[in-house]
Amino acid sequence: MAVASAGSCFAQHIGRHMAKSGFNYRDFEPAPGFLSKETARTYGYHLYSARYGNIYTVQQLEQLLERATGRFTPSEDVWEKDGRYYDPFRPTIEPDGFASEKEFRIMQRAHFGAVKRLFNKTDVFIFTLGLTEAWVNKEDGSVYPICPGTAAGSFDPAKYEFRNFTTSEVVASFRRFRERVRAINPGIRFLLTVSPVPLTATASGNHVLVASSYSKAVLRAAAGELTAEDAGTDYFPSYEIVSSHPVRAMFFDGNLRTVTPRGVDFVMEHFFAQHSPPTEKAPETASPAASDDDLVCEEELLAAEALL
């Protein structure tokens, strides 16, 4: 049974633990062999089952599939600055940008090929819903992982606008995504989780606690609706295990945002109690293990340009 994952930064914990716990956790876009583990992760490898970086919203996920299969091409799909080229939809995978647009296009085609293989060959796809807030392109609705102008690009209020997706929008987007994936791979199943990591900034204009509460409520409600309507979609309560009041925030670090290693272990112990790994694993396709200190998370960048 091939397992793949995507989502917000908390999803990195799930994939990492599955890779070392007996599951056939697949990496469809592995790093070149000459890169060290640390360098590979700096360049976006081994974080998920492909080099797509953090996918915070369902709308991003749907868009990735549409782009990889040729159904949608954004009006703005490359940013150039000082002779370096950046991917607007994976702005952190090349910290210094690509050397040329040709190099960018070659790597983009390779990435789309990996994404198509993923959805063709995966039996269980795990997606962690992370955010409802996003910045979009006014012209064609393209959804960015973080605000343009933070990790790459430049912010232009005439081109980009803030969106805070509703429950109905999240549900509708995932339904479209699920339907199109099943047209490619009819037997695929889905496992949804909600990230317990709260917001530390918001572009909504509300207090960050209110904005975070809204976001998690929307995502949890959407996940509940999507699993209730479809036998091939399940939910695992990583959000409730870490964030609910009975655990008294004991699984958060002192900043009350990042999840402690013990919290991650506790979540995964419950995960494996419900989803037992097979007796054999496929180490040649599993992502290498990493420590919790290696977690790559960019939620704090999302609203950085909101005050411009």
Side-chain angles (χ1 to χ4, degrees):
M1 179 179 68
V3 180
S5 69
S8 69
C9 59
F10 191 79
Q12 295 173 35
H13 292 306
I14 295 175
R16 175 169 55 83
H17 278 259
M18 295 192 76
K20 64 181 184 181
S21 298
F23 281 90
N24 181 18
Y25 183 78
R26 302 292 303 276
D27 186 347
F28 291 89
E29 197 172 3
F34 59 83
L35 292 181
S36 68
K37 183 187 74 173
E38 293 76 15
T39 301
R41 289 177 64 82
T42 298
Y43 283 82
Y45 293 103
H46 304 319
L47 301 178
Y48 302 104
S49 294
R51 196 188 179 202
Y52 27 62
N54 294 336
I55 300 178
Y56 295 111
T57 64
V58 173
Q59 284 75 14
Q60 273 184 264
L61 180 65
E62 179 188 11
Q63 177 178 267
L64 173 63
L65 178 64
E66 297 294 275
R67 295 179 66 220
T69 55
R71 296 171 62 101
F72 174 61
T73 301
S75 59
E76 184 180 43
D77 75 337
V78 62
W79 287 332
E80 186 272 333
K81 182 178 181 180
D82 299 329
R84 307 294 293 186
Y85 295 82
Y86 298 85
D87 190 334
F89 307 99
R90 302 184 296 161
T92 62
I93 63 162
E94 291 282 337
D96 299 316
F98 294 94
S100 66
E101 185 171 355
K102 180 179 179 181
E103 180 188 22
F104 166 81
R105 296 296 176 191
I106 291 172
M107 298 302 288
Q108 184 187 65
R109 286 195 296 271
H111 174 59
F112 286 162
V115 171
K116 288 189 286 187
R117 289 193 299 276
L118 185 156
F119 288 118
N120 268 287
K121 298 186 177 297
T122 294
D123 298 303
V124 177
F125 181 69
I126 303 173
F127 183 67
T128 298
L129 298 92
L131 295 173
T132 56
E133 297 189 9
W135 290 89
V136 304
N137 187 297
K138 292 181 179 181
E139 180 180 347
D140 61 7
S142 300
V143 184
Y144 302 101
I146 54 179
C147 182
T150 49
S154 58
F155 185 77
D156 182 351
K159 294 172 62 175
Y160 310 116
E161 64 180 358
F162 173 74
R163 292 286 304 277
N164 201 1
F165 296 113
T166 65
T167 305
S168 60
E169 289 174 319
V170 173
V171 169
S173 183
F174 190 84
R175 283 174 178 162
R176 291 190 298 267
F177 165 78
R178 184 169 58 190
E179 179 181 357
R180 288 167 187 166
V181 173
R182 283 179 173 161
I184 300 168
N185 180 357
I188 193 170
R189 290 175 289 169
F190 302 91
L191 180 60
L192 298 177
T193 68
V194 173
S195 171
V197 179
L199 298 175
T200 55
T202 177
S204 67
N206 295 318
H207 190 281
V208 68
L209 292 177
V210 175
S212 188
S213 180
Y214 169 86
S215 180
K216 301 304 179 182
V218 165
L219 297 176
R220 180 61 186 91
E225 186 171 345
L226 290 164
T227 56
E229 70 184 15
D230 184 79
T233 305
D234 200 1
Y235 175 77
F236 179 74
S238 55
Y239 171 73
E240 288 84 349
I241 291 173
V242 173
S243 300
S244 60
H245 64 273
V247 299
R248 303 180 183 181
M250 72 175 75
F251 293 139
F252 284 112
D253 282 317
N255 60 11
L256 295 181
R257 179 174 183 269
T258 54
V259 181
T260 66
R262 176 60 191 130
V264 174
D265 290 343
F266 191 77
V267 169
M268 297 311 301
E269 287 168 10
H270 284 269
F271 181 92
F272 293 133
Q274 293 186 16
H275 305 278
S276 299
T279 55
E280 298 180 359
K281 67 182 295 186
E284 72 279 1
T285 58
S287 297
S291 70
D292 291 289
D293 292 337
D294 292 328
L295 186 68
V296 178
C297 188
E298 298 145 358
E299 275 106 338
E300 64 272 11
L301 295 175
L302 180 70
E305 294 296 325
L307 299 179
L308 287 178

